[in-house]
Amino acid sequence: MSTVATYSQAPEKGWLTPIGRRRWQNFKANRRGYWSFWIFLVLFGLSLCAEFIANDKPIVASYKGEILFPVLVDYPEEKFGGFLAETDFRSDFIRDEIEANGWMIWPPIRYSYQTVNSNIPHSAPTAPFWLMSEEERCSAYPQGAADRDCILGNLNWLGTDDQARDVMARMIYGFRISVLFGLALTIASAVIGVSAGAVQGYFGGWTDLLLQRFIEIWSSMPVLYILLIIAAILPPGFFILLGIMLLFSWVGFVGVVRAEFLRARNFEYVNAARALGVGNGTIMYRHLLPNAMVATLTFLPFILSGSITTLTSLDFLGFGMPPGSPSLGEMIAQGKSNLQAPWLGLTAFCAMSVMLSLLIFVGEATRDAFDPRKTFR
């Protein structure tokens, strides 16, 4: 008589808990949000590599047997026989000198966000090259359409702005600044807001009462006017603008976290931890915060989209990033001032629409992922 051995199946291992795997499956079930998440990651990843996509310096060059990386290192012009402190690789002298003693590999777009195109066919702003004939778009080059510099990398794919700067390059760099600014502001706001909400909800009493009255007074201030006044006084800059907006953006997290801590602070496992002598900080961080973070994580994509929109609005009004910085808001302002150049406004509008739509779709999928009715059914 044969015997069959029965083995219990080993639990599945991984870095996700069973609840985490269920939430990930719920996130993937929202196909629109799932694919928006990956599309946004790809676009953001490409923008992080903006110097290798749009730059007025070669990615790599060989000169007299030496391999150089101009995209990463600023080489003085003295190295190539010149006398300037910084090398202009787009000049005819430097290009001929390097090509006579080596080679260069350029990015697909040979313009940075601040590079001025001196070979535009007429006064700026100019239309995208594919809206012009070959003779027109190459008319500013010495040999016209036959000139060796009239190639795809030197043409303006989305036209130029009113200062003859490449719109495509400025959009790529502007997208990166907008997302990095939004992420930094969202993370900093979450840290401050979650901490304040946790202290209010856990201790309650006078602590909660006093902090709540302060937050009510603070949030009743006219935020936009205060931002405009402070931004007009202080010198413009990424971190200065981040600090100004951080003054008010953290308030949105307090109410959500405070409610979760108020609800859970008298649960049996919390009272048991207190009876065992566990400190308040440990209880708040290890036992209550994970539950409160569920609602906070659902809130994050919407806060991120709001931060990006606020930065764009300030740039549009002229109180945002320093002049010359790549900015979608500044591009929208140029589109308003140059109605004869619709590609300026349309480019910024499309970039903002795609960015915010992807974030909203990701936020909806995150909300579904952390919905307890779907996670614990």
Side-chain angles (χ1 to χ4, degrees):
M1 183 176 179
S2 61
T3 59
V4 179
T6 304
Y7 298 95
S8 61
Q9 185 177 1
E12 184 180 354
K13 295 182 179 180
W15 62 278
L16 284 177
T17 63
I19 294 179
R21 284 194 290 271
R22 278 195 220 120
R23 286 171 176 163
W24 175 245
Q25 292 300 323
N26 290 335
F27 183 85
K28 291 176 63 176
N30 189 323
R31 306 304 296 175
R32 183 175 61 185
Y34 176 72
W35 286 110
S36 297
F37 172 73
W38 288 111
I39 293 173
F40 182 81
L41 283 185
V42 170
L43 293 178
F44 182 49
L46 290 175
S47 70
L48 291 177
C49 303
E51 285 78 8
F52 297 90
I53 299 175
N55 208 328
D56 54 3
K57 299 177 182 179
I59 298 176
V60 60
S62 174
Y63 180 68
K64 295 183 178 179
E66 182 182 1
I67 301 298
L68 308 175
F69 297 94
V71 72
L72 301 175
V73 181
D74 291 329
Y75 296 101
E77 198 177 72
E78 180 184 3
K79 188 176 187 66
F80 308 101
F83 56 89
L84 297 177
E86 187 175 352
T87 304
D88 180 12
F89 290 91
R90 293 179 57 85
S91 68
D92 294 337
F93 168 75
I94 297 298
R95 181 193 58 193
D96 294 340
E97 175 68 17
I98 294 178
E99 290 182 351
N101 297 276
W103 45 264
M104 293 185 292
I105 298 179
W106 285 86
I109 302 172
R110 301 189 181 187
Y111 299 99
S112 184
Y113 66 89
Q114 56 187 357
T115 308
V116 176
N117 184 3
S118 57
N119 294 311
I120 54 178
H122 54 79
S123 61
T126 57
F129 78 90
W130 41 271
L131 293 178
M132 307 184 220
S133 63
E134 185 176 2
E135 292 75 15
E136 182 182 2
R137 62 180 178 241
C138 298
S139 59
Y141 291 93
Q143 301 178 17
D147 198 281
R148 64 172 182 171
D149 287 332
C150 187
I151 57 176
L152 186 61
N154 281 326
L155 300 177
N156 303 112
W157 297 9
L158 294 177
T160 63
D161 63 5
D162 56 7
Q163 299 182 39
R165 298 172 299 191
D166 187 75
V167 173
M168 184 72 173
R170 292 186 65 80
M171 183 189 69
I172 296 173
Y173 284 88
F175 182 92
R176 179 174 69 179
I177 286 183
S178 297
V179 177
L180 288 176
F181 183 89
L183 286 174
L185 181 60
T186 302
I187 293 173
S189 301
V191 172
I192 298 175
V194 169
S195 301
V199 171
Q200 279 189 251
Y202 182 78
F203 292 103
W206 281 101
T207 302
D208 180 37
L209 182 63
L210 293 176
L211 286 176
Q212 193 63 21
R213 298 294 81 77
F214 169 76
I215 291 175
E216 289 174 359
I217 296 172
W218 191 254
S219 59
S220 65
M221 295 183 181
V223 178
L224 180 59
Y225 294 109
I226 294 177
L227 289 177
L228 293 178
I229 293 172
I230 297 177
I233 297 174
L234 297 178
F238 182 92
F239 293 102
I240 290 179
L241 190 60
L242 180 66
I244 294 174
M245 294 182 62
L246 185 59
L247 292 175
F248 301 95
S249 60
W250 60 272
V251 179
F253 290 94
V254 175
V256 179
V257 180
R258 171 178 174 267
E260 291 293 329
F261 271 75
L262 280 173
R263 182 180 64 89
R265 65 174 183 164
N266 291 321
F267 281 177
E268 292 182 358
Y269 70 90
V270 176
N271 292 328
R274 289 197 191 101
L276 292 173
V278 180
N280 290 329
T282 303
I283 295 175
M284 293 169 63
Y285 179 75
R286 298 189 59 182
H287 300 291
L288 295 180
L289 184 60
N291 295 327
M293 289 304 295
V294 171
T296 304
L297 290 174
T298 306
F299 205 42
L300 284 180
F302 302 101
I303 294 293
L304 176 58
S305 62
S307 302
I308 294 174
T309 304
T310 304
L311 174 64
T312 304
S313 303
L314 290 176
D315 286 334
F316 176 79
L317 296 173
F319 295 96
M321 301 296 293
S325 301
S327 167
L328 298 178
E330 188 259 351
M331 197 181 300
I332 295 175
Q334 284 200 31
K336 182 182 73 72
S337 303
N338 299 275
L339 298 179
Q340 78 281 5
W343 56 87
L344 293 174
L346 287 175
T347 299
F349 171 77
C350 292
M352 284 293 299
S353 299
V354 170
M355 185 194 315
L356 297 179
S357 297
L358 292 176
L359 288 174
I360 293 300
F361 294 153
V362 172
E364 292 177 351
T366 306
R367 181 189 59 198
D368 293 342
F370 288 95
D371 188 349
R373 292 172 298 180
K374 297 180 179 181
T375 303
F376 301 103
R377 62 185 177 183

